[in-house]
Amino acid sequence: MSRRAVLSGASGAREGGAGASARYLAPGWFTARVFNPAVALLTRRGLPLAGSRVLAVRGRSSGEWRTTPVNPLEVGGVRHLVAPRGTTQWVRNLRAAEQGELRVGRRSEAFRAVELPDADKVPVLREYLRRWAWEVGAFFDGVGAGASDEELLAAAPKHPVFRIEPLR
């Protein structure tokens, strides 16, 4: 599979749910084998980079914990998770489980995840790009934090966004 493999159509997307088309941009070798493992290791050791956390979600088939580094984002006092690469495995697992944990060091926060409809994603995507464009901007097809609301709304179906609601 190529680094920028794109899946489209209804396959992989939840029927009737947010994101009518599924899109996944696979990470390159360096990201998958070096960067993400390094960020996850540092975060597990209690040294998060740029506010990173390790997302833990039960696998939708295996029930085993699956982990990946993520960048939670607070907008208007509400925390969110944004999937810059599209409908990744963690997105599919979170849609199925509807809850997970955000971990840093020995601390773990259980949460409920609520996927946002595309119309509600604009301010979250704008802030996400403002804060992390240096890391994820390439996955937004030229759309940046300074884009119009219409441009961000057009990009919204490609990027699942979840509101994080603490369980404890």
Side-chain angles (χ1 to χ4, degrees), residues 14-132:
R14 189 175 49 168
E15 275 187 48
S21 66
R23 164 189 154 127
Y24 173 63
L25 301 177
W29 182 90
F30 181 80
T31 299
R33 304 278 190 235
V34 178
F35 185 75
N36 281 353
V39 170
L41 175 68
L42 289 170
T43 303
R44 279 194 297 273
R45 303 260 180 185
L47 302 168
L49 299 176
S52 66
R53 296 291 183 264
V54 172
L55 170 66
V57 180
R58 296 272 184 187
R60 59 195 180 282
S61 298
S62 69
E64 298 291 322
W65 285 105
R66 304 296 182 196
T67 60
T68 192
V70 294
N71 294 321
L73 173 71
E74 187 171 318
V75 177
V78 178
R79 290 193 317 161
H80 300 86
L81 289 176
V82 177
R85 292 180 178 275
T87 307
T88 61
Q89 293 301 322
W90 74 257
V91 167
R92 291 180 173 116
N93 288 336
L94 194 54
R95 284 175 175 162
E98 297 180 350
Q99 61 184 5
E101 294 180 359
L102 290 175
R103 301 173 179 171
V104 62
R106 294 181 178 164
R107 291 173 293 169
S108 178
E109 175 190 359
F111 68 89
R112 178 174 170 254
V114 178
E115 190 164 2
L116 298 184
D118 292 342
D120 295 347
K121 294 178 186 177
V122 170
V124 177
L125 292 176
R126 184 179 311 285
E127 182 61 19
Y128 190 79
L129 286 165
R130 188 192 67 72
R131 183 152 182 202
W132 284 297

